[in-house]
Amino acid sequence: MSTARRRRVPRRLLGTGLAALLTTTGALAVTGQPAAAGVTRWVTPTGVSYTDARQPTEAFAVAAGEALPVGTWEAAGDKHTARAYFTFDLTPYRGKEIISAELQTGETSVDDCTKPRELELWRTDTPAAAPTWANAPAVREKVGDLGGTVTHCPAGYLEMLVTAAVQRAVEEGRDSLTLMARIAGDHEEAKHFGRRIEQPGISLKANAAPDVPGKLTVSGLACAEGLRIGTTTPTFSAEVTDPDRVDGFVGDQVTATFAWWPVDRPAERTEWTSYAMYAPARFDYSVPPGLLVHDRTYAFTVKAADQQAGSEWSPECRFTVDTKVPPPPTVTSTEYPAGWAFPGHGGPGIPGRFTFTAPGADDVAGYRWGPSGATTYVAADTSGTATITWTPTDYGLKRLYVQAVDRAGNRSPLTTYQFTVRNTAPTVTDGNPDGRLGQARQFTLAPNMTDVVEYVWRLNEGAEQTVPADAEGRATVQVTPEVAANTLHVRSRTRDGQLSGDAGYRFTVRTEPTVTSAQWPLDGAVGAPVGSEGSFVFTPAMDGVTEYVYSFDYGEQETVAAGADGTATVRYTPTAAYQHSIQVFSRTGDGVESATAYRSFQVASLAPNVESAVYPRNTTGGGPGVTGTFTFRPSPGSNGVTSYVYTFRGEPERTVAAGPDGSATVEWTPATFDEAWDGWNSVQVSARTAAGTSTDAQYYSFRIDPKSPMVTSDVFGWQGAPVGTTGDFVFTAQLAGTVEFVYSFDGGPERTVAADEAGTARVSWTADSAYSHNLTVRSRTATGVSSGAALYNIWIDG
């Protein structure tokens, strides 16, 4: 017998991601094909064997992957004739529609490829055990010829539709299907027709109708007897499942059809079918506005369908539309009655009962409430009343927000219940408010509740302690603060065990040192002038201070030892006037550091005064070539001035001697108008004494008048002129002694024109292009003094 063989690949299941599905229970969920419903599975036989006429009482089981003989062959001189049997399990397909079933196999060897293929497939009864030739199952019908039209030999791939056989077996309620492969008629005993085939499988596509939809809801509420909803546009929802779903893969695409109607008018039925989704899925349908009305009962039902079959309608879900909002609830409390009245009632930690009612409402299901909003739900009793217990955590004006909720979920307008919680925390009196760090201090505790028998207290995060109260309900405690910022927590306790609120008494132990100076007050007043020697005194606010760490103007820190009394003095000579600062903290012998004291002080300036009539301070005066006189005078407190050192910006430093009264005068003439600074200039002056000391500098700023010429034109005014226009410009000098004007058009080359005796000149210009032009003009004297520039803008029409 030939051993030639081709690899068989099942058709319709090709693809790299599908090969793993071709196992005994493998399945492929059909996706992306809306017209095809059902799940395709690759079904392999549960029983595979063959019989041999030469050994009629024996059954021959076949191992996985082993080929089966069909027809006749010879071995060791003996003739053998075989028939192959395959049994398939149909229990997964009970009640399903068989859409297609294709048996697939292939030939591994053929005895004689010149002979026609006469391979038949028959349906037999399913044997209880592997059949033998002598005890073969009854043959019921021929299913067909396997590979009758396939010409190549051996055929690595053979197929046959067995849909009818499988469908009939399922419809007849059989749990299995047994197929027999044999060679047709008398040729069965002719060895030239014999062959071996692979163990077959069936590519089986079946479909079951979707399950009846379940888990119906209306606007998120599960269907139940007496269901009421508070909207006329509810959303119906239902869950749809389908038996054809395969774990790990999507199954059928399904749709849901919703039907709804008024229960008293079933003929007014409305149906809507959804788009398709892969099962399992939840489908929603929102009722459009204007179709449902208050106080009417409706019903809805849902059915599902895939592309092959549909489910039954689900049980009806009935509901009544109730859009009537309940009235605002009333709130009452004995422990915490409404109102702002001081001192209030109850107290922090004291629970109160609050009763909610909704007068005039007969369908209240419960209430939503809370101190920050109506967030917590409590059910009402049969009378529509609910009582909650709430415990305030602090005192003062409090609010409870309450809404009534009816059976349809409608919420009432919000009721705001306001009441005052009494401050029950004890009063704390500090017996030593100026005590230092590490010093014991006594606090007196007085009650704000009646029948107080003791106090529970702790300092900061320390251990809690108790102290008994005297006959008046008072007590004292002593604490020793070890940090600057402290909180004394105190609560009183009554004879029946009721605790008050926490006093939370905060106090700060001052640790930063005190700073004083005779020369420079720390109250903002101006102190001794620059260059004066003075001192600062540090006084401790802690015990055991041995040194101070200080700096001026946030500069380098220095350390000074403290005296026996804990104080220290440092000398200081300011080198600059105006505001300065000092920073200092103390340190004990144990290394405990205080808080830092930050102080500021003012140092008086000895800078000389500067005056000028021609060039007044911070304003415009004089002009190019105009000489101004500047007078320097010593500041108050500055004695023995013998000279002044001064410099105008951009000029060398000069010295002028002071007169008997300590003043001096200098003259200064600007040669031109400095347009880079817009005419602004300054003089810096410091005074010197006979002892050789120098004061801090005075900065005196002023602006030079540009004395720019005036420019006018009768032709080129604000109204513009056309291209080609020729006109004159008249220049009028503002700078005394002007002999000529320097001008340019549009930033071009400079030209000059002489000034007449009246200080004017005239130039002519022709507009050669449209739009914006400009003219820049300066005047100049015979000695070369130049004025500031005048800019004249010209518009030429396009």
Side-chain angles (χ1 to χ4, degrees):
M1 180 176 286
S2 172
T3 58
R5 178 176 180 175
R6 291 186 183 178
R7 177 65 178 166
R8 177 181 61 82
V9 180
R11 197 172 61 186
R12 302 185 186 177
L13 294 176
L14 296 177
T16 56
L18 302 179
L21 300 178
L22 304 182
T23 61
T24 301
T25 58
L28 171 64
V30 177
T31 62
Q33 303 291 335
V39 174
T40 300
R41 295 177 182 268
W42 177 245
V43 182
T44 56
T46 57
V48 180
S49 65
Y50 68 91
T51 62
D52 185 353
R54 185 168 183 79
Q55 303 173 76
T57 61
E58 292 187 33
F60 297 89
V62 179
E66 184 180 346
L68 295 95
V70 180
T72 298
W73 77 97
E74 289 183 0
D78 295 326
K79 181 179 179 181
H80 300 265
T81 302
R83 295 174 181 175
Y85 293 86
F86 324 104
T87 300
F88 297 89
D89 181 16
L90 298 183
T91 56
Y93 302 98
R94 292 172 182 162
K96 292 188 177 183
E97 176 188 0
I98 305 302
I99 299 172
S100 67
E102 183 179 77
L103 183 136
Q104 300 171 6
T105 183
E107 295 171 333
T108 63
S109 64
V110 175
D111 188 271
D112 184 356
C113 281
T114 65
K115 300 299 183 183
R117 180 181 294 106
E118 297 186 3
L119 186 60
E120 296 179 339
L121 199 65
W122 293 76
R123 180 176 70 83
T124 72
D125 290 345
T126 298
T132 68
W133 188 276
N135 188 27
V139 177
R140 296 303 178 186
E141 62 180 339
K142 182 179 178 181
V143 178
D145 294 319
L146 187 58
T149 61
V150 177
T151 59
H152 51 277
C153 179
Y157 180 77
L158 298 172
E159 66 179 1
M160 175 186 289
L161 285 176
V162 294
T163 307
V166 175
Q167 180 67 57
R168 188 157 45 251
V170 170
E171 291 174 350
E172 292 173 357
R174 295 200 299 272
D175 292 339
S176 61
L177 171 68
T178 299
L179 298 174
M180 176 187 69
R182 60 163 291 173
I183 300 300
D186 294 339
H187 290 163
E188 184 177 31
E189 296 181 0
K191 72 172 187 175
H192 294 291
F193 291 87
R195 59 227 317 114
R196 287 183 178 269
I197 64 172
E198 292 183 346
Q199 298 182 28
I202 297 177
S203 176
L204 197 156
K205 183 178 182 180
N207 181 71
D211 299 318
V212 174
K215 298 182 180 179
L216 274 59
T217 64
V218 184
S219 292
L221 300 175
C223 294
E225 184 72 25
L227 177 62
R228 303 175 74 84
I229 62 169
T231 177
T232 58
T233 56
T235 296
F236 302 152
S237 182
E239 184 178 81
V240 176
T241 59
D242 190 285
D244 295 325
R245 178 172 174 82
V246 178
D247 291 342
F249 302 94
V250 294
D252 280 353
Q253 283 189 324
V254 294
T255 59
T257 298
F258 290 80
W260 64 271
W261 62 93
V263 295
D264 57 346
R265 287 186 249 175
E268 297 179 8
R269 181 185 179 99
T270 298
E271 292 190 5
W272 175 85
T273 300
S274 72
Y275 52 85
M277 292 195 296
Y278 288 107
R282 177 163 282 278
F283 290 86
D284 296 326
Y285 166 69
S286 296
V287 179
L291 300 181
L292 304 189
V293 296
H294 169 71
D295 203 26
R296 175 165 287 180
T297 300
Y298 299 85
F300 85 95
T301 182
V302 188
K303 70 175 180 178
D306 59 22
Q307 291 78 20
Q308 297 291 132
S311 74
E312 299 295 329
W313 288 99
S314 70
E316 292 181 4
C317 176
R318 294 195 172 196
F319 60 93
T320 300
V321 176
D322 178 4
T323 56
K324 182 180 179 181
V325 175
T330 60
V331 183
T332 58
S333 176
T334 301
E335 293 82 7
Y336 291 102
W340 295 55
F342 183 82
H345 299 82
I350 299 176
R353 288 166 55 84
F354 298 83
T355 299
F356 309 146
T357 57
D362 58 1
D363 62 346
V364 169
Y367 299 86
R368 300 187 68 86
W369 67 277
S372 302
T375 58
T376 302
Y377 181 79
V378 59
D381 60 20
T382 55
S383 68
T385 300
T387 299
I388 59 99
T389 299
W390 181 73
T391 303
T393 58
D394 57 359
Y395 66 92
L397 180 66
K398 303 297 172 187
R399 295 178 176 87
L400 282 185
Y401 301 92
V402 187
Q403 281 181 306
V405 182
D406 66 16
R407 287 180 292 167
N410 297 305
R411 297 188 188 186
S412 74
L414 200 66
T415 292
T416 302
Y417 182 77
Q418 300 186 102
F419 57 98
T420 303
V421 177
R422 184 165 61 94
N423 182 10
T424 59
T427 301
V428 179
T429 304
D430 191 345
N432 185 18
D434 297 324
R436 293 187 174 186
L437 198 68
Q439 285 185 338
R441 55 205 297 165
Q442 184 171 283
F443 293 88
T444 301
L445 314 179
N448 280 319
M449 299 174 70
T450 59
D451 204 20
V452 168
V453 296
E454 67 178 4
Y455 294 88
V456 181
W457 67 275
R458 61 182 171 86
L459 179 63
N460 300 324
E461 301 305 317
E464 202 167 64
Q465 303 179 59
T466 59
V467 60
D470 60 19
E472 296 179 351
R474 304 167 69 87
T476 60
V477 296
Q478 182 171 289
V479 302
T480 302
E482 298 179 353
V483 294
N486 299 271
T487 302
L488 182 63
H489 299 278
V490 184
R491 293 180 296 166
S492 61
R493 180 181 282 136
T494 63
R495 192 176 306 279
D496 58 5
Q498 180 64 56
L499 281 170
S500 72
D502 185 2
Y505 182 82
R506 293 179 174 86
F507 64 96
T508 301
V509 181
R510 180 176 171 271
T511 62
E512 66 182 48
T514 300
V515 183
T516 58
S517 175
Q519 293 78 27
W520 294 286
L522 302 178
D523 59 1
V526 178
V530 62
S532 302
E533 185 181 31
S535 63
F536 288 86
V537 178
F538 307 147
T539 303
M542 300 193 307
D543 293 334
V545 170
T546 59
E547 62 184 8
Y548 295 88
V549 180
Y550 68 96
S551 65
F552 287 96
D553 298 324
Y554 296 94
E556 184 177 350
Q557 288 186 335
E558 299 185 50
T559 302
V560 60
D565 61 352
T567 66
T569 301
V570 296
R571 307 299 296 175
Y572 177 68
T573 301
T575 58
Y578 309 117
Q579 182 164 304
H580 292 265
S581 65
I582 183 172
Q583 304 81 41
V584 58
F585 64 87
S586 60
R587 183 183 288 141
T588 69
D590 297 330
V592 177
E593 294 181 350
S594 73
T596 300
Y598 298 90
R599 302 291 184 265
S600 61
F601 56 95
Q602 296 286 333
V603 174
S605 172
L606 293 178
N609 294 321
V610 180
E611 302 169 3
S612 176
V614 176
Y615 294 102
R617 187 172 200 155
N618 295 332
T619 190
T620 301
V626 179
T627 300
T629 299
F630 292 82
T631 300
F632 309 147
R633 302 183 190 280
S635 67
S638 183
N639 300 317
V641 172
T642 59
S643 63
Y644 295 90
V645 178
Y646 69 97
T647 178
F648 288 88
R649 192 187 68 240
E651 297 183 9
E653 189 176 78
R654 298 181 175 89
T655 301
V656 61
D661 63 349
S663 66
T665 300
V666 299
E667 291 185 343
W668 179 76
T669 305
T672 186
F673 179 82
D674 190 345
E675 293 184 352
W677 291 82
D678 193 32
W680 283 97
N681 210 318
S682 64
V683 60
Q684 177 181 328
V685 186
S686 59
R688 288 184 178 174
T689 67
T693 61
S694 180
T695 69
D696 51 317
Q698 178 69 266
Y699 296 89
Y700 182 91
S701 296
F702 57 94
R703 183 175 183 268
I704 300 166
D705 192 326
K707 301 296 184 182
S708 303
M710 294 176 58
V711 180
T712 60
S713 176
D714 293 335
V715 175
F716 299 109
W718 61 268
Q719 72 278 8
V723 175
T725 301
T726 298
D728 290 345
F729 293 90
V730 177
F731 307 153
T732 302
Q734 303 296 313
L735 177 65
T738 293
V739 298
E740 64 180 1
F741 296 93
V742 180
Y743 68 96
S744 68
F745 285 94
D746 297 327
E750 289 189 338
R751 298 182 175 89
T752 60
V753 60
D756 60 18
E757 294 182 355
T760 66
R762 182 183 296 269
V763 297
S764 181
W765 180 72
T766 300
D768 59 359
S769 62
Y771 308 126
S772 179
H773 297 267
N774 62 74
L775 168 64
T776 304
V777 185
R778 296 178 181 82
S779 61
R780 189 158 58 195
T781 69
T783 59
V785 174
S786 178
S787 75
L791 182 66
Y792 190 92
N793 293 313
I794 310 163
W795 179 258
I796 301 302
D797 298 332

